[in-house]
């Protein structure tokens, strides 16, 4: 049977105290709603519907181009009402799985189990045990332990409030009975809301089997209502990713002090020191060592390379056996080939650093194609921008650039040429020759330094 996933995301999230709707607040670098969408995809549903309301335009913009169906709920009259708004766009007869946009850690394995058990029943809900169940809907079971209803906290009797088995809100409803069960929902309750949870009691009234999957991971059902809870989920997410990395063989100096906001693949014997942030798609080859306080975004570091403390690498590919940093900044579209060295206070942008080439100190290399075995002296700047356009610098194999030189692009430094220190190079240099462009040194014998007059 085909599946339709409905993700509820219409609420404002008042307690976030934010101008932005709750579900777009980032968790581990992406909107929390995106986590729910990504997990839903793993179930291969026929359609994913997003129920949006508060700041709907903004949520739409952020979630666009992902083959999602948007359903607007202009007034938030309850979870049942939210789901009713989907009727027009739902494929008739599909099984329904309802998720919350503010419960981002839910695992696809749990959802799969719910769908599986849902097949032999009509309704399958996801419950969990809470030490403090206040605020949650409670799961009511009969003498033979069958689920008979969900009672909201505000509607519950004192006796029912003592129940610790709570409703996560996530629910599966079989396509064949869905329309009828939904039509049964009214708003005759303490909050005068249309409760989706009422499908349980209506199913029971109609003699349809209802079951519950009990989540054995209390963290996956956690919802975000305020900044504290968001930080708590960020912490959980971070620890989980750190544990995954260690299971994959990485040595983490302190699993409490690493921020993983994406997918990290590691080879053997990778080590990562404290306070690193790894974002997006990251690949670290065998034996890679990452020093403390580094930021890596959508980048790869090939085997045997070291990234020293305080370095930032974004959208770049680092070759094998490189030494990067400390304090290096490798900006997007940069590639370093094997055995390259990028030292401290060096910025590299949209450039290729050739095999065995070295840029060791205080340089800016931008829009540059560098060959092999080049040595760039301290303080060398490629002047790639004329105020309107960017131009390229070509530095061929075996070039030696003296310290404090400026290479004004477009310019080619030909093979094996040498640039004298302190030069401003505006013309292509010939192969194998020394080129420099500085004034001759002169000395003034009787020159006096200006001095302050004494009174
Ligand atoms: C709901 C459940 C409760 C469960 C709890 C778990 C109902 C009636 N109650 O209660 O049993 O224990 O979640 O957190 O379902 N939403 C909309 N439109 C609406 C109302 C809600 O999109 O009209 C969205 C919210 O943005 C939120 C989710 O649905 O993402 C849950 O809504 P919320 O108001 O937090 O439900 P609770 O009252 O906490
Ligand atoms: Ca809630």
């Amino acid at each position: 049977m085909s599946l339709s996933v409905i993700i509820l995301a219409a609420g404002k999230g008042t307690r976030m105290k934010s101008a932005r709707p709750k579900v777009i607040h980032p968790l581990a670098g992406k909107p929390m709603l995106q986590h729910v969408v990504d997990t839903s995809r793993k179930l291969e549903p026929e359609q994913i519907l997003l129920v949006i309301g508060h700041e709907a335009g903004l949520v739409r913009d952020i979630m666009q181009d992902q083959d999602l169906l948007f359903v607007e709920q202009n007034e938030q009259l309850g979870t049942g009402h939210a789901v009713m708004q989907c009727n027009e766009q739902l494929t008739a007869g599909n099984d329904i799985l309802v998720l919350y946009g503010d419960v981002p850690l839910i695992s696809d394995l749990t959802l799969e189990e719910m769908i599986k058990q849902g097949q032999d029943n009509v309704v399958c809900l996801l419950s969990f045990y809470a030490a403090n169940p206040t605020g949650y809907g409670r799961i009511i079971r009969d003498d033979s332990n069958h689920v008979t209803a969900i009672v909201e906290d505000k509607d519950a009797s004192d006796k029912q409030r003592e129940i610790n088995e709570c409703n996560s809100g996530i629910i599966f409803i079989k396509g064949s009975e869905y329309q009828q069960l939904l039509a049964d929902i009214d708003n005759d309750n303490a909050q005068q809301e249309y409760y989706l949870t009422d499908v349980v009691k209506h199913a029971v009234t109609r003699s349809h089997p209802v079951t519950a999957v009990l989540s054995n991971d209390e963290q996956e059902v956690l919802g975000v209502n305020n900044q504290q809870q968001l930080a708590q989920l960020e912490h959980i997410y971070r620890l989980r990713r750190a544990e995954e990395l260690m299971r994959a063989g990485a040595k983490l100096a302190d699993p409490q002090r690493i921020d993983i906001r994406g997918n990290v693949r590691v080879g053997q014997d990778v080590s990562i020191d404290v306070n690193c942030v790894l974002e997006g798609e990251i690949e670290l080859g065998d034996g890679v060592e990452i020093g403390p306080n580094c930021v890596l975004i959508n980048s790869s570091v090939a085997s045997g390379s070291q990234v020293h403390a305080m370095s930032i690498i974004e959208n770049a590919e680092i070759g094998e056996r490189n030494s990067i940093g400390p304090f290096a900044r490798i900006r997007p579209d940069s590639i370093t080939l094997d055995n390259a060295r990028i030292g401290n206070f060096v910025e590299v942008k949209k450039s290729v650093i050739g095999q065995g080439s070295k840029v060791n100190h205080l340089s800016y290399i931008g829009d540059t194609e560098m060959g092999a075995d080049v040595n760039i002296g301290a303080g060398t700047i490629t002047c790639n921008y004329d105020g309107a356009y960017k131009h390229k610098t070509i530095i061929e194999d075996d070039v030696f650039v003296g310290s404090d030189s400026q290479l004004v692009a477009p310019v080619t430094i030909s093979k094996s040429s040498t640039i004298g220190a302190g030069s401003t190079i505006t013309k292509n240099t010939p192969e194998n020759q020394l080129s420099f462009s500085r004034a001759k040194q002169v000395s003034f014998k009787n020159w006096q330094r200006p001095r302050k007059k004494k009174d």
Side-chain angles (χ1 to χ4, degrees), residues 350-420:
K350 208 176 184 178
S351 295
V352 177
I353 308 296
Q355 258 194 41
S357 290
K358 299 173 186 161
V359 191
N360 272 336
H361 327 269
L362 299 156
S363 289
Y364 172 63
I365 304 295
D367 301 297
T368 297
E369 261 175 49
M370 192 185 292
D373 300 316
V374 168
N375 193 329
I376 302 287
T380 298
I381 306 291
T382 54
C383 308
N384 60 331
Y385 185 49
D386 61 13
Y389 298 101
K390 300 274 172 69
H391 302 282
K392 280 191 95 156
T393 302
I394 312 284
I395 304 175
E396 295 182 353
D397 294 350
D398 191 37
V399 159
F400 182 98
V401 179
S403 297
D404 191 29
S405 295
Q406 301 89 50
L407 311 178
V408 182
V411 70
T412 297
I413 314 299
S414 301
K415 191 168 174 342
S416 300
S417 59
T418 302
I419 307 293

Side-chain angles (χ1 to χ4, degrees), residues 8-12 22 51 73 75-79 81-82 100-102 135-137 150 152 166-169 191 193-197 225:
L8 304 188
K12 177 162 186 251
K22 173 164 74 177
V51 181
Q73 184 196 23
E75 256 185 307
Q76 275 88 66
L77 302 178
T79 48
H81 181 259
Y100 286 181
D102 57 1
Y136 290 112
I150 299 172
E152 289 305 296
C166 296
N167 176 30
S168 69
Q191 305 184 76
E193 279 184 9
Y194 295 87
Y195 293 165
L196 180 62
T197 44
N225 294 304

Side-chain angles (χ1 to χ4, degrees), residues 284-339:
L284 306 175
D286 292 345
V288 164
E289 294 175 13
I290 310 288
N293 301 314
C294 291
V295 179
L296 276 68
I297 303 170
N298 292 318
S299 295
S300 61
V301 180
S303 54
S305 287
Q306 299 184 324
V307 178
H308 300 286
M310 316 288 177
S311 296
I312 302 176
I313 301 175
E314 180 171 6
N315 291 335
E317 285 173 37
I318 304 300
E320 293 184 11
R321 296 175 303 280
N322 277 215
S323 172
I324 307 290
F327 293 101
R329 178 165 183 220
I330 315 290
R331 291 173 50 199
D333 303 319
S334 297
I335 298 176
T336 68
L337 302 182
D338 298 347
N339 299 306

